[in-house]
Amino acid sequence: MFQLVSKASANARVDLLSGLTVALALVPEAVAFAFVAGVHPLVGLYAAFMVGLITAVFGGRPGMISGATGALAVVMVTLVAQHGVEYLFATVVLMGILQVIAGALHLGKFIRLVPHPVMLGFVNGLAIVIFLAQLGQFKVEDVTGQLQWMTGEPLYLMLGLVLVTMAIIKYLPKFTTLIPAPLAAIAVVSLVVIYGGLDTRTVGDMASIAGGLPEFHIPSVPLNLDTLYIILPYAVILAAIGLIESLLTLTLVAELTETRGRASQECMAQGAANIATGFFGGMGGCAMIGQSMINVNSGGRGRLAGIAAALFLLSFILFASPLIEQIPLAALVGVMFMVVIGTFEWSSFRILTKIPRTDAFVLILVSGVTVISDLAIAVVVGVIVSALVFAWKAAKRIDVSTEMLPNGSKVYRLHGPLFFGSIASFKELFDPKNDPDDVVIDFVESRVWDHSGLEAIDALADRYLKAGKQLHLRHLSPDCQVLLEKAGDMVEINVIEDPLYGVGVDYPQDADKKVSSHISPSQTS
């Protein structure tokens, strides 16, 4: 009993410290994404707090961190610029409703259709995006207000502090694990900068994070079809991006922690969080792979870590803004650089020459599209390309072997799937003009996958009918028979019924006879 209590206490301590580390890293991220979306920094901070809290409590798996993200911010900027922030709040509410509907319909299960090369490309691309986002901290405004790269002493100081942060994160766990290494690194570098009087950029240089509690606020937009016409396209895109990023992050965290997540529950939680955020002046959000990696690498495994991160962030806004604004950006950049190193699948370089070329191409493609465009488009492109590659490979697998029976019938034994990709090859396998009067197609090693397959069978039947010959089907699987039944009068063929098979069961002697059944255009098989 004592051991269980002690373990629970240790887990709670680790979760709390991990949550604090995540909250510190959330501040500049939320502020930066708010700037990208063209809204006040508090709009991003409130979103990080509310989305993070609700998904931590109700989400599909513990350990994930959600908040305002750049993938959503780049979509929001046009809406805000053209129609104002109130339309953004209304869009976030509708976005949440769509996500709740997706969860209720269990659409999250389709994340399993994402192939492994797409997952690798997603992880690598997102790691590159996180890295590139940190480079903005190495730029400062010149006298004209333009951003320019740091030079001279400020650059060397920034780089030095980043390297110190990364060194602490890498080597501290070899000496102690009582405190998460990223938190210790932030604390040490902050103390060095504050008490050493070093002149370097801090969180406060980005914006003030001081504020009050988020207040309930119904978006001030006209409740009519014109408003719906404006916000619906944005809401659909934001909902899709949010769910894709959240579900892929859920899958990644599940693999890292060797636990299982619940996709539909995560969809519902993300939706509820965005609905609430839209009514409390937040810009909406989704799961954050960078912050989730910080949490997991710091030892955060329970829901308490996400809850603590959200509550710490709120306390920063309410009470500790002067202190948090003194944290050097170099420390937070160093933390994120370590996240990049830990997130990027370095093994992908080693396996590129060992996996099929098509998989390697998909991996590189998804990584590139993630960097150039956004995550949702990258994943959709990757899935489509992977599906086309699969269809092409499956289409090339169809062929036949033939046999002549003593009664003069010819048997075509079909091998491979019959679907839209293979019907061209399927049509070339048969010779109605020179075949005997009775032809059998044996499907024991084949399956009819779709409507195109049925059309191909129907077209082949017409060819044999015009040649004055009879066509039979044999060994149709139950799912193929269902497709034929759904086809109704489309398939005008004869079906040879399958025999009854059994293991260790005695059947009547005539049970294995093949009975020819002629079906009219209105009958089903």
Side-chain angles (χ1 to χ4, degrees):
M1 181 66 180
F2 176 77
Q3 290 180 341
L4 291 176
V5 173
S6 177
K7 183 177 180 181
S9 177
N11 291 340
R13 178 184 61 79
V14 172
D15 282 347
L16 286 172
L17 293 175
S18 297
L20 177 57
T21 307
V22 169
L24 292 172
L26 271 172
V27 174
E29 296 272 303
V31 172
F33 296 146
F35 284 151
V36 171
V39 297
H40 192 278
L42 282 176
V43 175
L45 291 168
Y46 287 153
F49 159 64
M50 297 201 66
V51 175
L53 179 63
I54 295 173
T55 55
V57 175
F58 302 106
R61 68 146 300 106
M64 275 177 56
I65 304 296
S66 297
T69 64
L72 299 180
V74 295
V75 178
M76 297 172 179
V77 60
T78 304
L79 174 64
V80 174
Q82 294 180 354
H83 301 283
V85 72
E86 293 295 331
Y87 277 84
L88 172 61
F89 297 150
T91 302
V92 171
V93 172
L94 182 56
M95 163 192 173
I97 293 172
L98 295 176
Q99 291 177 327
V100 169
I101 294 173
L105 296 177
H106 300 288
L107 299 183
K109 63 186 177 183
F110 289 106
I111 199 65
R112 70 186 65 173
L113 297 179
V114 177
H116 189 62
V118 177
M119 275 293 299
L120 287 179
F122 151 74
V123 170
N124 290 350
L126 213 51
I128 296 171
V129 169
I130 294 172
F131 172 77
L132 294 176
Q134 307 312 308
L135 297 183
Q137 308 301 342
F138 290 89
K139 294 182 179 181
V140 293
E141 290 187 1
D142 59 17
V143 292
T144 63
Q146 299 295 319
L147 290 177
Q148 301 292 339
W149 289 102
M150 290 180 176
T151 57
E153 186 177 339
L155 175 61
Y156 301 142
L157 178 59
M158 183 83 168
L159 289 174
L161 294 174
V162 168
L163 292 175
V164 169
T165 303
M166 296 174 69
I168 294 174
I169 295 173
K170 180 176 177 59
Y171 296 108
L172 181 63
K174 297 182 179 181
F175 300 97
T176 179
T177 56
L178 289 177
I179 183 172
L183 179 59
I186 293 172
V188 170
V189 173
S190 297
L191 291 174
V192 169
V193 169
I194 293 172
Y195 290 102
L198 301 180
D199 184 16
T200 186
R201 297 184 67 211
T202 63
V203 172
D205 292 330
M206 297 183 66
S208 173
I209 66 169
L213 287 169
E215 297 180 357
F216 181 78
H217 168 73
I218 297 177
S220 299
V221 296
L223 299 179
N224 53 37
L225 290 178
D226 289 337
T227 299
L228 182 63
Y229 179 78
I230 292 172
I231 68 174
L232 181 59
Y234 288 100
V236 172
I237 295 172
L238 291 172
I241 293 174
L243 289 183
I244 290 173
E245 185 161 358
S246 297
L247 294 175
L248 289 178
T249 303
L250 181 144
T251 303
L252 178 62
V253 174
E255 290 179 358
L256 291 174
T257 59
E258 298 183 351
T259 55
R260 185 178 179 182
R262 295 177 175 84
S264 296
Q265 183 177 339
E266 184 63 30
C267 293
M268 298 280 283
Q270 291 288 340
N274 282 306
I275 292 173
T277 303
F279 281 120
F280 281 88
M283 61 183 282
C286 63
M288 308 176 72
I289 186 172
Q291 309 300 333
S292 298
M293 289 296 294
I294 291 175
N295 185 48
V296 171
N297 292 336
S298 298
R301 294 293 187 272
R303 295 188 183 275
L304 180 59
I307 295 172
L311 294 179
F312 277 126
L313 181 60
L314 180 62
S315 68
F316 298 162
I317 298 171
L318 297 178
F319 312 113
S321 58
L323 181 61
I324 300 303
E325 289 171 7
Q326 296 183 59
I327 295 176
L329 288 174
L332 301 176
V333 170
V335 171
M336 297 310 296
F337 278 172
M338 292 302 292
V339 169
V340 169
I341 294 173
T343 301
F344 195 91
E345 285 287 347
W346 302 100
S347 61
S348 57
F349 290 119
R350 175 172 45 83
I351 66 174
L352 275 179
T353 58
K354 300 180 180 179
I355 60 178
R357 291 183 179 179
T358 53
D359 287 348
F361 172 74
V362 169
L363 193 160
I364 296 171
L365 176 66
V366 174
S367 299
V369 176
T370 300
V371 175
I372 296 171
S373 183
D374 63 59
L375 169 67
I377 293 177
V379 171
V380 170
V381 168
V383 171
I384 290 175
V385 172
S386 296
L388 292 175
V389 169
F390 171 77
W392 177 255
K393 290 181 177 179
K396 296 191 297 182
R397 289 174 52 197
I398 193 164
D399 60 5
V400 295
S401 57
T402 60
E403 177 187 2
M404 294 298 298
L405 299 181
N407 63 3
S409 297
K410 185 176 182 179
V411 178
Y412 285 90
R413 289 189 175 85
L414 194 62
H415 309 278
L418 181 57
F419 69 112
F420 70 90
S422 60
I423 57 175
S425 300
F426 172 79
K427 293 176 182 178
E428 297 174 356
L429 298 174
F430 302 90
D431 187 11
K433 183 178 180 180
N434 298 313
D435 278 345
D437 292 338
D438 197 75
V439 176
V440 178
I441 302 179
D442 193 334
F443 284 84
V444 69
E445 296 184 23
S446 179
R447 293 292 183 272
V448 181
W449 279 3
D450 61 6
H451 183 204
S452 297
L454 294 177
E455 288 282 6
I457 293 174
D458 186 46
L460 183 64
D462 282 341
R463 290 169 61 191
Y464 278 99
L465 182 64
K466 290 177 181 178
K469 300 172 182 180
Q470 226 174 28
L471 181 66
H472 308 273
L473 304 182
R474 185 169 67 190
H475 287 145
L476 281 173
S477 65
D479 53 331
C480 295
Q481 294 179 25
V482 169
L483 285 175
L484 289 173
E485 289 173 1
K486 290 181 178 179
D489 60 359
M490 183 177 64
V491 181
E492 303 176 338
I493 52 179
N494 297 318
V495 177
I496 299 179
E497 302 259 348
D498 288 337
L500 296 174
Y501 295 105
V503 178
V505 179
D506 293 329
Y507 288 105
Q509 292 182 355
D510 60 348
D512 61 348
K513 291 182 179 179
K514 300 175 179 60
V515 181
S516 179
S517 152
H518 301 275
I519 59 173
S520 68
S522 61
Q523 291 177 309
T524 59
S525 61

